[in-house]
C-alpha cells in the first residue's frame, strides 16, 4: 500500500487497484481525464449523455440497451438503435460482470 497525502493523512490505497483503474482512463491533450473505458464496448465520456455509460462511439446509453433487451432480442435492439449485434452482445457481457 502507499499513502496518498491530501486533506487528511493516513489515506492508504492498494497500488495495483489504482493502476488498473488508471489504465481505463483516457486523457486529453491538456492531460485532464477525458473519458473512461469501462469495457471494449462501454465507455463514459463527460461530454456524451452527461457521463452516462454508453455504447462506445455512440450516444446510446447502456441502460437503454438493458431496458430494451426485456422487449426484444439482441438483433432487434441492434436494429432499433443502429448498432451491430456485436455491440449489443458486448453490452450484455459488460452488464453480466457489473
Amino acid at each position: 500500500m502507499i499513502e496518498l497525502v491530501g486533506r487528511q493523512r493516513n489515506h492508504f490505497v492498494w497500488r495495483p487497484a489504482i493502476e488498473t483503474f488508471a489504465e481505463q482512463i483516457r486523457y486529453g491533450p491538456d492531460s485532464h481525464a477525458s473519458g473512461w473505458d469501462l469495457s471494449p464496448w462501454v465507455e463514459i465520456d463527460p461530454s456524451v449523455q452527461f457521463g452516462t455509460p454508453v455504447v462506445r462511439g455512440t450516444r446510446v446509453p447502456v441502460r437503454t440497451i438493458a431496458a430494451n433487451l426485456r422487449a426484444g432480442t439482441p438483433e432487434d435492439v441492434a436494429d432499433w438503435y443502429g448498432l451491430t449485434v456485436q455491440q449489443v452482445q458486448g453490452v450484455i457481457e459488460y452488464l453480466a460482470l457489473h
Side-chain angles (χ1 to χ4, degrees), residues 81-92:
Y81 290 95
L83 303 171
T84 66
V85 174
Q86 190 176 21
Q87 286 173 304
V88 175
Q89 291 293 347
V91 170
I92 291 169

Side-chain angles (χ1 to χ4, degrees), residues 18-30:
I18 296 300
E19 287 174 345
T20 299
F21 173 76
E23 290 171 359
Q24 300 170 343
I25 299 173
R26 288 190 314 273
Y27 294 90
D30 58 1

Side-chain angles (χ1 to χ4, degrees), residues 19-59:
E19 287 174 345
T20 299
F21 173 76
E23 290 171 359
Q24 300 170 343
I25 299 173
R26 288 190 314 273
Y27 294 90
D30 58 1
S31 298
H32 290 114
S34 64
W36 182 8
D37 298 328
L38 299 176
S39 85
W41 302 102
V42 177
E43 68 182 347
I44 289 177
D45 181 333
S47 66
V48 176
Q49 297 289 357
F50 302 100
T52 297
V54 297
V55 178
R56 182 184 299 276
T58 75
R59 300 183 63 77

Side-chain angles (χ1 to χ4, degrees), residues 1-5 10-15 18:
M1 286 194 291
I2 61 171
E3 181 177 11
L4 294 181
V5 179
N10 298 319
H11 283 195
F12 293 91
V13 297
W14 186 35
R15 186 179 183 128
I18 296 300

